[in-house]
Amino acid sequence: MAASRDGFEAVEVEGSAGCRGSSGMEVVFPLDPAVPAPLCPHGPTLLFVKVTQGKEETRRFYACSACRDRKDCNFFQWEDEKLSGARLAAREAHNRRCQPPLSRRQCVERYLKFIELPLTQRKFCQRCQQLLLPDDWGQHSEHQVLGDVSITQLRRPSQLLYPLENKKTNAQYLFADRSCQFLVDLLSALGFRRVLCVGTPRLHELIKLTASGDKKSNIKSLLLDIDFRYSQFYMEDSFCHYNMFNHHFFDGKTALEVCRAFLQEDKGEGIIMVTDPPFGGLVEPLAITFKKLIAMWKEGQSQDDSHKELPIFWIFPYFFESRICQFFPSFQMLDYQVDYDNHALYKHGKTGRKQSPVRIFTNIPPNKIILPTEEGYRFCSLCQRYVSLENQHCEHCNSCTSKDGRKWNHCFLCKKCVKPSWIHCSICNHCAVPDHSCESPKDGCFICGELDHKRSTCPNIATSKRANKAVRKQRQRKSNKMKMETTKGQSMNHTSATRRKKRRERAHQYLGS
């Protein structure tokens, strides 16, 4: 899935912009949603603006919603740019060339043929990441091909497929079996019958695997994921090729209706959404997408159930807590550490700062969620929830305050608990790392400088936009005036040059005569 999962270095682009004197990128959601955004191979693009604290907005532009590196998707268009018909046609042709070689229906037909083959004829090309039918063998004769693909292997496609590892585009880290099994057991214990898996392919396959092997398990699952390779392994009612950053279904209305029917089945009862977005992605576009899925679920609810919320597990690093709760105030963070198979840092059992920073954010009351005591979790009777063993209850804060699994210390000057490595700075008048710079930029709003919100939610944003618009107009008038003066000067210079040329021609004619 798009964007990066760079461990403790993973910082949300928008969040990193809140430094005085620094710059960052923000997503801008147009006031008129009826105006469609231009399309790139990954669906509708997003509108961005580069902002710098204390300065006006710069020119806004459209870029890919899924790729941060322009080497992977080089789409770029200024918001006010007018494109010629030829450029639009070339862009549409490029978008078509970038789509998967097979349609969703073709993938399903090939899969049905593949499972009917005898074991000796079931082959998988590891180079092309493709299931092969006998007619395909000749084209892949020089490739590394895996033979005797069993039904069990087909049911675990995440183990057949190579994880996408481009950190800026498709950093695909998969749940470790420990975390995956915990989630499946928890969902079953909570009584859910359907799971909408948004970007969680390994959870999806384990749910289906459990259901096929256990007649008592009646949990169904639908996977929405941007990795089109999964189209080879699932029927149309089990997988939708989907971009979670712009709520785009690549297979159009057909896939959209599959998702809608799944959400609204049994009048929306017994369903939960579990999502594991790329940690380098912006929180705001994800929140907008998830709210659209929630709205789709609510369409099947009666008026009496309008107060209900769609249960959600949002799996994300703990340091995004404030941003997630800004969009979903009912969410709380669990202490459970989610770990991944193919990531060096996100491993369970490590200590100190090497512990996995990934947590579960949910609107399900924490007292209903039992964490495994054998893995070092305990129940806090005061907080009425399970916490990690090192997370001690603070009598001053009246809560278990640790976020990262270590024991935090209470600072009486800051009136809150802080990380054990932090000390109180008398110059800054707050706790920070010992080697911090007191003159370093402070987080806050780009417009008013307040620390309790970001620029996008500033109450003064309308005034700022009007002022910025006036400044831009003034600069545009000045630029136009300079262009006119330049053109006029060039015209005068051209006239003078013409006159000099004519004088030379007359002089040559005179001397020649």
PDB file of all heavy atoms in Angstrom, residues 7-8 178 335 337-359 375-377 388-390 404-407:
ATOM      1  N   GLY A   7       9.152   3.215  10.596  1.00  0.00           N
ATOM      2  CA  GLY A   7       9.413   3.047  12.018  1.00  0.00           C
ATOM      3  C   GLY A   7       9.264   4.337  12.784  1.00  0.00           C
ATOM      4  O   GLY A   7       8.340   5.106  12.597  1.00  0.00           O
ATOM      5  N   PHE A   8      10.219   4.606  13.690  1.00  0.00           N
ATOM      6  CA  PHE A   8      10.121   5.790  14.529  1.00  0.00           C
ATOM      7  C   PHE A   8      10.381   7.064  13.738  1.00  0.00           C
ATOM      8  O   PHE A   8      10.149   8.157  14.219  1.00  0.00           O
ATOM      9  CB  PHE A   8      11.108   5.685  15.699  1.00  0.00           C
ATOM     10  CG  PHE A   8      10.704   4.636  16.684  1.00  0.00           C
ATOM     11  CD1 PHE A   8      11.266   3.375  16.638  1.00  0.00           C
ATOM     12  CD2 PHE A   8       9.728   4.889  17.619  1.00  0.00           C
ATOM     13  CE1 PHE A   8      10.880   2.393  17.536  1.00  0.00           C
ATOM     14  CE2 PHE A   8       9.340   3.903  18.527  1.00  0.00           C
ATOM     15  CZ  PHE A   8       9.915   2.663  18.481  1.00  0.00           C
ATOM     16  N   ARG A 178       1.256 -13.878  15.221  1.00  0.00           N
ATOM     17  CA  ARG A 178       0.804 -13.602  16.589  1.00  0.00           C
ATOM     18  C   ARG A 178      -0.280 -12.529  16.593  1.00  0.00           C
ATOM     19  O   ARG A 178      -1.360 -12.720  17.163  1.00  0.00           O
ATOM     20  CB  ARG A 178       1.989 -13.153  17.439  1.00  0.00           C
ATOM     21  CG  ARG A 178       1.602 -12.405  18.702  1.00  0.00           C
ATOM     22  CD  ARG A 178       2.784 -11.700  19.344  1.00  0.00           C
ATOM     23  NE  ARG A 178       2.326 -10.711  20.310  1.00  0.00           N
ATOM     24  CZ  ARG A 178       2.096  -9.428  20.026  1.00  0.00           C
ATOM     25  NH1 ARG A 178       2.270  -8.991  18.790  1.00  0.00           N
ATOM     26  NH2 ARG A 178       1.689  -8.601  20.962  1.00  0.00           N
ATOM     27  N   ASP A 335      -3.363  -0.605  24.435  1.00  0.00           N
ATOM     28  CA  ASP A 335      -1.937  -0.818  24.687  1.00  0.00           C
ATOM     29  C   ASP A 335      -1.352  -1.957  23.860  1.00  0.00           C
ATOM     30  O   ASP A 335      -0.130  -2.134  23.838  1.00  0.00           O
ATOM     31  CB  ASP A 335      -1.702  -1.115  26.177  1.00  0.00           C
ATOM     32  CG  ASP A 335      -1.449   0.151  26.982  1.00  0.00           C
ATOM     33  OD1 ASP A 335      -1.910   1.223  26.542  1.00  0.00           O
ATOM     34  OD2 ASP A 335      -0.803   0.075  28.037  1.00  0.00           O
ATOM     35  N   GLN A 337       0.489  -4.135  21.367  1.00  0.00           N
ATOM     36  CA  GLN A 337       1.520  -3.841  20.377  1.00  0.00           C
ATOM     37  C   GLN A 337       1.360  -4.763  19.170  1.00  0.00           C
ATOM     38  O   GLN A 337       1.495  -5.984  19.290  1.00  0.00           O
ATOM     39  CB  GLN A 337       2.914  -4.019  20.981  1.00  0.00           C
ATOM     40  CG  GLN A 337       3.234  -3.033  22.087  1.00  0.00           C
ATOM     41  CD  GLN A 337       4.638  -3.235  22.634  1.00  0.00           C
ATOM     42  OE1 GLN A 337       5.479  -3.860  21.993  1.00  0.00           O
ATOM     43  NE2 GLN A 337       4.886  -2.715  23.819  1.00  0.00           N
ATOM     44  N   VAL A 338       1.074  -4.170  18.018  1.00  0.00           N
ATOM     45  CA  VAL A 338       0.931  -4.929  16.779  1.00  0.00           C
ATOM     46  C   VAL A 338       2.312  -5.089  16.156  1.00  0.00           C
ATOM     47  O   VAL A 338       3.064  -4.117  16.043  1.00  0.00           O
ATOM     48  CB  VAL A 338      -0.019  -4.209  15.799  1.00  0.00           C
ATOM     49  CG1 VAL A 338      -0.175  -5.013  14.512  1.00  0.00           C
ATOM     50  CG2 VAL A 338      -1.379  -3.971  16.447  1.00  0.00           C
ATOM     51  N   ASP A 339       2.662  -6.305  15.757  1.00  0.00           N
ATOM     52  CA  ASP A 339       3.969  -6.503  15.135  1.00  0.00           C
ATOM     53  C   ASP A 339       3.819  -7.110  13.750  1.00  0.00           C
ATOM     54  O   ASP A 339       2.769  -7.645  13.390  1.00  0.00           O
ATOM     55  CB  ASP A 339       4.896  -7.346  16.018  1.00  0.00           C
ATOM     56  CG  ASP A 339       4.329  -8.726  16.308  1.00  0.00           C
ATOM     57  OD1 ASP A 339       3.089  -8.867  16.293  1.00  0.00           O
ATOM     58  OD2 ASP A 339       5.113  -9.651  16.557  1.00  0.00           O
ATOM     59  N   TYR A 340       4.897  -7.000  12.961  1.00  0.00           N
ATOM     60  CA  TYR A 340       4.885  -7.364  11.548  1.00  0.00           C
ATOM     61  C   TYR A 340       6.008  -8.341  11.237  1.00  0.00           C
ATOM     62  O   TYR A 340       7.092  -8.274  11.819  1.00  0.00           O
ATOM     63  CB  TYR A 340       5.014  -6.103  10.678  1.00  0.00           C
ATOM     64  CG  TYR A 340       3.861  -5.157  10.849  1.00  0.00           C
ATOM     65  CD1 TYR A 340       3.797  -4.285  11.935  1.00  0.00           C
ATOM     66  CD2 TYR A 340       2.811  -5.145   9.936  1.00  0.00           C
ATOM     67  CE1 TYR A 340       2.726  -3.431  12.101  1.00  0.00           C
ATOM     68  CE2 TYR A 340       1.733  -4.289  10.093  1.00  0.00           C
ATOM     69  CZ  TYR A 340       1.693  -3.436  11.186  1.00  0.00           C
ATOM     70  OH  TYR A 340       0.631  -2.595  11.350  1.00  0.00           O
ATOM     71  N   ASP A 341       5.746  -9.224  10.274  1.00  0.00           N
ATOM     72  CA  ASP A 341       6.722 -10.251   9.899  1.00  0.00           C
ATOM     73  C   ASP A 341       7.981  -9.663   9.274  1.00  0.00           C
ATOM     74  O   ASP A 341       9.093 -10.031   9.630  1.00  0.00           O
ATOM     75  CB  ASP A 341       6.092 -11.224   8.888  1.00  0.00           C
ATOM     76  CG  ASP A 341       5.597 -12.483   9.576  1.00  0.00           C
ATOM     77  OD1 ASP A 341       5.904 -12.671  10.765  1.00  0.00           O
ATOM     78  OD2 ASP A 341       4.905 -13.266   8.920  1.00  0.00           O
ATOM     79  N   ASN A 342       7.805  -8.763   8.306  1.00  0.00           N
ATOM     80  CA  ASN A 342       8.928  -8.320   7.484  1.00  0.00           C
ATOM     81  C   ASN A 342       9.377  -6.902   7.800  1.00  0.00           C
ATOM     82  O   ASN A 342       9.742  -6.137   6.916  1.00  0.00           O
ATOM     83  CB  ASN A 342       8.566  -8.434   5.995  1.00  0.00           C
ATOM     84  CG  ASN A 342       7.283  -7.682   5.649  1.00  0.00           C
ATOM     85  OD1 ASN A 342       6.388  -7.576   6.478  1.00  0.00           O
ATOM     86  ND2 ASN A 342       7.197  -7.154   4.436  1.00  0.00           N
ATOM     87  N   HIS A 343       9.355  -6.533   9.077  1.00  0.00           N
ATOM     88  CA  HIS A 343       9.856  -5.223   9.482  1.00  0.00           C
ATOM     89  C   HIS A 343      10.831  -5.402  10.638  1.00  0.00           C
ATOM     90  O   HIS A 343      10.535  -6.085  11.616  1.00  0.00           O
ATOM     91  CB  HIS A 343       8.716  -4.291   9.899  1.00  0.00           C
ATOM     92  CG  HIS A 343       9.125  -2.844   9.916  1.00  0.00           C
ATOM     93  ND1 HIS A 343      10.000  -2.333  10.854  1.00  0.00           N
ATOM     94  CD2 HIS A 343       8.789  -1.812   9.110  1.00  0.00           C
ATOM     95  CE1 HIS A 343      10.175  -1.045  10.618  1.00  0.00           C
ATOM     96  NE2 HIS A 343       9.467  -0.712   9.568  1.00  0.00           N
ATOM     97  N   ALA A 344      12.003  -4.784  10.521  1.00  0.00           N
ATOM     98  CA  ALA A 344      13.059  -4.973  11.513  1.00  0.00           C
ATOM     99  C   ALA A 344      12.698  -4.403  12.873  1.00  0.00           C
ATOM    100  O   ALA A 344      13.134  -4.907  13.910  1.00  0.00           O
ATOM    101  CB  ALA A 344      14.352  -4.331  11.012  1.00  0.00           C
ATOM    102  N   LEU A 345      11.888  -3.336  12.905  1.00  0.00           N
ATOM    103  CA  LEU A 345      11.589  -2.659  14.166  1.00  0.00           C
ATOM    104  C   LEU A 345      10.302  -3.146  14.823  1.00  0.00           C
ATOM    105  O   LEU A 345      10.210  -3.234  16.036  1.00  0.00           O
ATOM    106  CB  LEU A 345      11.482  -1.144  13.939  1.00  0.00           C
ATOM    107  CG  LEU A 345      12.785  -0.395  13.645  1.00  0.00           C
ATOM    108  CD1 LEU A 345      12.483   1.075  13.425  1.00  0.00           C
ATOM    109  CD2 LEU A 345      13.785  -0.556  14.777  1.00  0.00           C
ATOM    110  N   TYR A 346       9.294  -3.451  14.008  1.00  0.00           N
ATOM    111  CA  TYR A 346       7.974  -3.723  14.562  1.00  0.00           C
ATOM    112  C   TYR A 346       7.858  -5.177  15.008  1.00  0.00           C
ATOM    113  O   TYR A 346       7.149  -5.985  14.418  1.00  0.00           O
ATOM    114  CB  TYR A 346       6.890  -3.403  13.538  1.00  0.00           C
ATOM    115  CG  TYR A 346       6.878  -1.963  13.085  1.00  0.00           C
ATOM    116  CD1 TYR A 346       6.095  -1.559  12.013  1.00  0.00           C
ATOM    117  CD2 TYR A 346       7.655  -0.996  13.719  1.00  0.00           C
ATOM    118  CE1 TYR A 346       6.080  -0.245  11.589  1.00  0.00           C
ATOM    119  CE2 TYR A 346       7.652   0.315  13.297  1.00  0.00           C
ATOM    120  CZ  TYR A 346       6.874   0.688  12.241  1.00  0.00           C
ATOM    121  OH  TYR A 346       6.869   1.990  11.825  1.00  0.00           O
ATOM    122  N   LYS A 347       8.591  -5.516  16.068  1.00  0.00           N
ATOM    123  CA  LYS A 347       8.618  -6.873  16.578  1.00  0.00           C
ATOM    124  C   LYS A 347       8.193  -6.906  18.040  1.00  0.00           C
ATOM    125  O   LYS A 347       8.631  -6.069  18.845  1.00  0.00           O
ATOM    126  CB  LYS A 347      10.029  -7.468  16.457  1.00  0.00           C
ATOM    127  CG  LYS A 347      10.535  -7.579  15.022  1.00  0.00           C
ATOM    128  CD  LYS A 347       9.805  -8.656  14.256  1.00  0.00           C
ATOM    129  CE  LYS A 347      10.424  -8.862  12.874  1.00  0.00           C
ATOM    130  NZ  LYS A 347       9.716  -9.873  12.094  1.00  0.00           N
ATOM    131  N   HIS A 348       7.369  -7.869  18.379  1.00  0.00           N
ATOM    132  CA  HIS A 348       6.940  -8.052  19.755  1.00  0.00           C
ATOM    133  C   HIS A 348       8.076  -8.631  20.592  1.00  0.00           C
ATOM    134  O   HIS A 348       8.899  -9.399  20.107  1.00  0.00           O
ATOM    135  CB  HIS A 348       5.743  -9.003  19.805  1.00  0.00           C
ATOM    136  CG  HIS A 348       5.332  -9.373  21.191  1.00  0.00           C
ATOM    137  ND1 HIS A 348       4.772  -8.473  22.060  1.00  0.00           N
ATOM    138  CD2 HIS A 348       5.409 -10.542  21.863  1.00  0.00           C
ATOM    139  CE1 HIS A 348       4.511  -9.068  23.205  1.00  0.00           C
ATOM    140  NE2 HIS A 348       4.890 -10.337  23.116  1.00  0.00           N
ATOM    141  N   GLY A 349       8.119  -8.251  21.873  1.00  0.00           N
ATOM    142  CA  GLY A 349       9.094  -8.821  22.782  1.00  0.00           C
ATOM    143  C   GLY A 349      10.324  -7.970  22.975  1.00  0.00           C
ATOM    144  O   GLY A 349      11.120  -8.214  23.885  1.00  0.00           O
ATOM    145  N   LYS A 350      10.522  -6.958  22.121  1.00  0.00           N
ATOM    146  CA  LYS A 350      11.652  -6.061  22.318  1.00  0.00           C
ATOM    147  C   LYS A 350      11.337  -5.098  23.452  1.00  0.00           C
ATOM    148  O   LYS A 350      10.180  -4.896  23.810  1.00  0.00           O
ATOM    149  CB  LYS A 350      11.959  -5.296  21.020  1.00  0.00           C
ATOM    150  CG  LYS A 350      12.447  -6.211  19.899  1.00  0.00           C
ATOM    151  CD  LYS A 350      13.005  -5.419  18.745  1.00  0.00           C
ATOM    152  CE  LYS A 350      13.599  -6.344  17.698  1.00  0.00           C
ATOM    153  NZ  LYS A 350      14.237  -5.606  16.598  1.00  0.00           N
ATOM    154  N   THR A 351      12.369  -4.487  23.999  1.00  0.00           N
ATOM    155  CA  THR A 351      12.172  -3.617  25.162  1.00  0.00           C
ATOM    156  C   THR A 351      12.595  -2.198  24.848  1.00  0.00           C
ATOM    157  O   THR A 351      13.232  -1.921  23.828  1.00  0.00           O
ATOM    158  CB  THR A 351      12.985  -4.138  26.358  1.00  0.00           C
ATOM    159  OG1 THR A 351      14.375  -4.193  25.977  1.00  0.00           O
ATOM    160  CG2 THR A 351      12.517  -5.512  26.773  1.00  0.00           C
ATOM    161  N   GLY A 352      12.252  -1.275  25.779  1.00  0.00           N
ATOM    162  CA  GLY A 352      12.627   0.135  25.629  1.00  0.00           C
ATOM    163  C   GLY A 352      12.035   0.748  24.384  1.00  0.00           C
ATOM    164  O   GLY A 352      10.898   0.471  24.008  1.00  0.00           O
ATOM    165  N   ARG A 353      12.821   1.572  23.688  1.00  0.00           N
ATOM    166  CA  ARG A 353      12.330   2.252  22.490  1.00  0.00           C
ATOM    167  C   ARG A 353      12.287   1.331  21.274  1.00  0.00           C
ATOM    168  O   ARG A 353      11.857   1.734  20.203  1.00  0.00           O
ATOM    169  CB  ARG A 353      13.199   3.472  22.190  1.00  0.00           C
ATOM    170  CG  ARG A 353      13.143   4.539  23.259  1.00  0.00           C
ATOM    171  CD  ARG A 353      13.799   5.843  22.825  1.00  0.00           C
ATOM    172  NE  ARG A 353      12.980   6.534  21.828  1.00  0.00           N
ATOM    173  CZ  ARG A 353      13.322   6.644  20.541  1.00  0.00           C
ATOM    174  NH1 ARG A 353      14.435   6.118  20.097  1.00  0.00           N
ATOM    175  NH2 ARG A 353      12.556   7.301  19.701  1.00  0.00           N
ATOM    176  N   LYS A 354      12.766   0.085  21.425  1.00  0.00           N
ATOM    177  CA  LYS A 354      12.758  -0.842  20.298  1.00  0.00           C
ATOM    178  C   LYS A 354      11.435  -1.588  20.184  1.00  0.00           C
ATOM    179  O   LYS A 354      11.251  -2.392  19.284  1.00  0.00           O
ATOM    180  CB  LYS A 354      13.910  -1.837  20.439  1.00  0.00           C
ATOM    181  CG  LYS A 354      15.283  -1.195  20.302  1.00  0.00           C
ATOM    182  CD  LYS A 354      16.385  -2.239  20.360  1.00  0.00           C
ATOM    183  CE  LYS A 354      17.760  -1.590  20.200  1.00  0.00           C
ATOM    184  NZ  LYS A 354      18.846  -2.599  20.263  1.00  0.00           N
ATOM    185  N   GLN A 355      10.525  -1.344  21.098  1.00  0.00           N
ATOM    186  CA  GLN A 355       9.218  -1.998  21.024  1.00  0.00           C
ATOM    187  C   GLN A 355       8.435  -1.456  19.831  1.00  0.00           C
ATOM    188  O   GLN A 355       8.647  -0.334  19.384  1.00  0.00           O
ATOM    189  CB  GLN A 355       8.427  -1.732  22.308  1.00  0.00           C
ATOM    190  CG  GLN A 355       9.110  -2.272  23.563  1.00  0.00           C
ATOM    191  CD  GLN A 355       8.351  -1.877  24.799  1.00  0.00           C
ATOM    192  OE1 GLN A 355       7.390  -2.522  25.171  1.00  0.00           O
ATOM    193  NE2 GLN A 355       8.775  -0.820  25.454  1.00  0.00           N
ATOM    194  N   SER A 356       7.534  -2.273  19.345  1.00  0.00           N
ATOM    195  CA  SER A 356       6.701  -1.819  18.228  1.00  0.00           C
ATOM    196  C   SER A 356       5.854  -0.623  18.660  1.00  0.00           C
ATOM    197  O   SER A 356       5.199  -0.664  19.702  1.00  0.00           O
ATOM    198  CB  SER A 356       5.778  -2.943  17.761  1.00  0.00           C
ATOM    199  OG  SER A 356       4.845  -2.455  16.819  1.00  0.00           O
ATOM    200  N   PRO A 357       5.846   0.455  17.863  1.00  0.00           N
ATOM    201  CA  PRO A 357       5.035   1.627  18.208  1.00  0.00           C
ATOM    202  C   PRO A 357       3.599   1.528  17.707  1.00  0.00           C
ATOM    203  O   PRO A 357       2.813   2.460  17.882  1.00  0.00           O
ATOM    204  CB  PRO A 357       5.768   2.765  17.497  1.00  0.00           C
ATOM    205  CG  PRO A 357       6.310   2.122  16.264  1.00  0.00           C
ATOM    206  CD  PRO A 357       6.649   0.701  16.646  1.00  0.00           C
ATOM    207  N   VAL A 358       3.244   0.420  17.078  1.00  0.00           N
ATOM    208  CA  VAL A 358       1.942   0.313  16.410  1.00  0.00           C
ATOM    209  C   VAL A 358       0.875  -0.140  17.397  1.00  0.00           C
ATOM    210  O   VAL A 358       1.063  -1.102  18.141  1.00  0.00           O
ATOM    211  CB  VAL A 358       2.029  -0.660  15.222  1.00  0.00           C
ATOM    212  CG1 VAL A 358       0.729  -0.623  14.425  1.00  0.00           C
ATOM    213  CG2 VAL A 358       3.205  -0.314  14.330  1.00  0.00           C
ATOM    214  N   ARG A 359      -0.251   0.570  17.398  1.00  0.00           N
ATOM    215  CA  ARG A 359      -1.337   0.315  18.341  1.00  0.00           C
ATOM    216  C   ARG A 359      -2.675   0.186  17.594  1.00  0.00           C
ATOM    217  O   ARG A 359      -2.748   0.398  16.390  1.00  0.00           O
ATOM    218  CB  ARG A 359      -1.441   1.456  19.367  1.00  0.00           C
ATOM    219  CG  ARG A 359      -0.174   1.710  20.163  1.00  0.00           C
ATOM    220  CD  ARG A 359       0.095   0.586  21.148  1.00  0.00           C
ATOM    221  NE  ARG A 359       1.240   0.896  21.988  1.00  0.00           N
ATOM    222  CZ  ARG A 359       2.501   0.562  21.703  1.00  0.00           C
ATOM    223  NH1 ARG A 359       2.763  -0.078  20.572  1.00  0.00           N
ATOM    224  NH2 ARG A 359       3.484   0.858  22.522  1.00  0.00           N
ATOM    225  N   GLU A 375       1.254 -12.407  27.400  1.00  0.00           N
ATOM    226  CA  GLU A 375       2.163 -11.539  26.654  1.00  0.00           C
ATOM    227  C   GLU A 375       2.540 -10.287  27.442  1.00  0.00           C
ATOM    228  O   GLU A 375       3.155  -9.368  26.903  1.00  0.00           O
ATOM    229  CB  GLU A 375       1.542 -11.142  25.308  1.00  0.00           C
ATOM    230  CG  GLU A 375       1.378 -12.319  24.356  1.00  0.00           C
ATOM    231  CD  GLU A 375       0.828 -11.904  23.001  1.00  0.00           C
ATOM    232  OE1 GLU A 375       0.740 -10.671  22.757  1.00  0.00           O
ATOM    233  OE2 GLU A 375       0.484 -12.786  22.195  1.00  0.00           O
ATOM    234  N   GLY A 376       2.143 -10.242  28.717  1.00  0.00           N
ATOM    235  CA  GLY A 376       2.568  -9.126  29.547  1.00  0.00           C
ATOM    236  C   GLY A 376       1.555  -8.011  29.691  1.00  0.00           C
ATOM    237  O   GLY A 376       1.936  -6.872  29.981  1.00  0.00           O
ATOM    238  N   TYR A 377       0.284  -8.294  29.504  1.00  0.00           N
ATOM    239  CA  TYR A 377      -0.754  -7.283  29.705  1.00  0.00           C
ATOM    240  C   TYR A 377      -1.512  -7.600  30.995  1.00  0.00           C
ATOM    241  O   TYR A 377      -1.676  -8.761  31.364  1.00  0.00           O
ATOM    242  CB  TYR A 377      -1.710  -7.243  28.509  1.00  0.00           C
ATOM    243  CG  TYR A 377      -1.022  -6.874  27.213  1.00  0.00           C
ATOM    244  CD1 TYR A 377      -0.641  -7.871  26.304  1.00  0.00           C
ATOM    245  CD2 TYR A 377      -0.719  -5.553  26.910  1.00  0.00           C
ATOM    246  CE1 TYR A 377       0.014  -7.554  25.126  1.00  0.00           C
ATOM    247  CE2 TYR A 377      -0.067  -5.224  25.725  1.00  0.00           C
ATOM    248  CZ  TYR A 377       0.298  -6.228  24.847  1.00  0.00           C
ATOM    249  OH  TYR A 377       0.958  -5.895  23.692  1.00  0.00           O
ATOM    250  N   SER A 388      -0.271  -2.477  29.273  1.00  0.00           N
ATOM    251  CA  SER A 388       0.991  -3.215  29.299  1.00  0.00           C
ATOM    252  C   SER A 388       1.536  -3.248  30.719  1.00  0.00           C
ATOM    253  O   SER A 388       1.213  -2.390  31.552  1.00  0.00           O
ATOM    254  CB  SER A 388       2.004  -2.574  28.346  1.00  0.00           C
ATOM    255  OG  SER A 388       2.290  -1.256  28.745  1.00  0.00           O
ATOM    256  N   LEU A 389       2.387  -4.228  30.989  1.00  0.00           N
ATOM    257  CA  LEU A 389       2.871  -4.465  32.344  1.00  0.00           C
ATOM    258  C   LEU A 389       3.622  -3.253  32.902  1.00  0.00           C
ATOM    259  O   LEU A 389       3.497  -2.924  34.088  1.00  0.00           O
ATOM    260  CB  LEU A 389       3.787  -5.698  32.350  1.00  0.00           C
ATOM    261  CG  LEU A 389       3.962  -6.420  33.685  1.00  0.00           C
ATOM    262  CD1 LEU A 389       2.612  -6.893  34.218  1.00  0.00           C
ATOM    263  CD2 LEU A 389       4.913  -7.594  33.518  1.00  0.00           C
ATOM    264  N   GLU A 390       4.398  -2.557  32.062  1.00  0.00           N
ATOM    265  CA  GLU A 390       5.183  -1.406  32.508  1.00  0.00           C
ATOM    266  C   GLU A 390       4.355  -0.127  32.633  1.00  0.00           C
ATOM    267  O   GLU A 390       4.828   0.871  33.178  1.00  0.00           O
ATOM    268  CB  GLU A 390       6.342  -1.160  31.531  1.00  0.00           C
ATOM    269  CG  GLU A 390       7.377  -2.279  31.502  1.00  0.00           C
ATOM    270  CD  GLU A 390       8.116  -2.394  32.826  1.00  0.00           C
ATOM    271  OE1 GLU A 390       8.496  -1.349  33.388  1.00  0.00           O
ATOM    272  OE2 GLU A 390       8.308  -3.529  33.306  1.00  0.00           O
ATOM    273  N   ASP A 404       4.134   4.290  25.023  1.00  0.00           N
ATOM    274  CA  ASP A 404       5.089   3.490  24.264  1.00  0.00           C
ATOM    275  C   ASP A 404       5.500   2.193  24.948  1.00  0.00           C
ATOM    276  O   ASP A 404       6.448   1.536  24.532  1.00  0.00           O
ATOM    277  CB  ASP A 404       6.338   4.313  23.942  1.00  0.00           C
ATOM    278  CG  ASP A 404       7.061   4.796  25.197  1.00  0.00           C
ATOM    279  OD1 ASP A 404       6.678   4.392  26.310  1.00  0.00           O
ATOM    280  OD2 ASP A 404       8.017   5.589  25.056  1.00  0.00           O
ATOM    281  N   GLY A 405       4.807   1.801  26.027  1.00  0.00           N
ATOM    282  CA  GLY A 405       5.108   0.542  26.688  1.00  0.00           C
ATOM    283  C   GLY A 405       6.096   0.647  27.828  1.00  0.00           C
ATOM    284  O   GLY A 405       6.275  -0.313  28.581  1.00  0.00           O
ATOM    285  N   ARG A 406       6.760   1.797  27.991  1.00  0.00           N
ATOM    286  CA  ARG A 406       7.684   2.001  29.109  1.00  0.00           C
ATOM    287  C   ARG A 406       6.963   2.718  30.248  1.00  0.00           C
ATOM    288  O   ARG A 406       5.917   3.335  30.045  1.00  0.00           O
ATOM    289  CB  ARG A 406       8.878   2.845  28.662  1.00  0.00           C
ATOM    290  CG  ARG A 406       9.738   2.204  27.589  1.00  0.00           C
ATOM    291  CD  ARG A 406      10.860   3.139  27.149  1.00  0.00           C
ATOM    292  NE  ARG A 406      10.345   4.310  26.444  1.00  0.00           N
ATOM    293  CZ  ARG A 406      11.085   5.385  26.145  1.00  0.00           C
ATOM    294  NH1 ARG A 406      12.354   5.432  26.519  1.00  0.00           N
ATOM    295  NH2 ARG A 406      10.561   6.399  25.480  1.00  0.00           N
ATOM    296  N   LYS A 407       7.543   2.676  31.427  1.00  0.00           N
ATOM    297  CA  LYS A 407       6.974   3.399  32.553  1.00  0.00           C
ATOM    298  C   LYS A 407       7.292   4.881  32.405  1.00  0.00           C
ATOM    299  O   LYS A 407       8.440   5.281  32.272  1.00  0.00           O
ATOM    300  CB  LYS A 407       7.551   2.878  33.875  1.00  0.00           C
ATOM    301  CG  LYS A 407       6.980   3.597  35.096  1.00  0.00           C
ATOM    302  CD  LYS A 407       7.624   3.110  36.386  1.00  0.00           C
ATOM    303  CE  LYS A 407       7.082   3.902  37.586  1.00  0.00           C
ATOM    304  NZ  LYS A 407       7.736   3.489  38.851  1.00  0.00           N
TER     305      LYS A 407
END
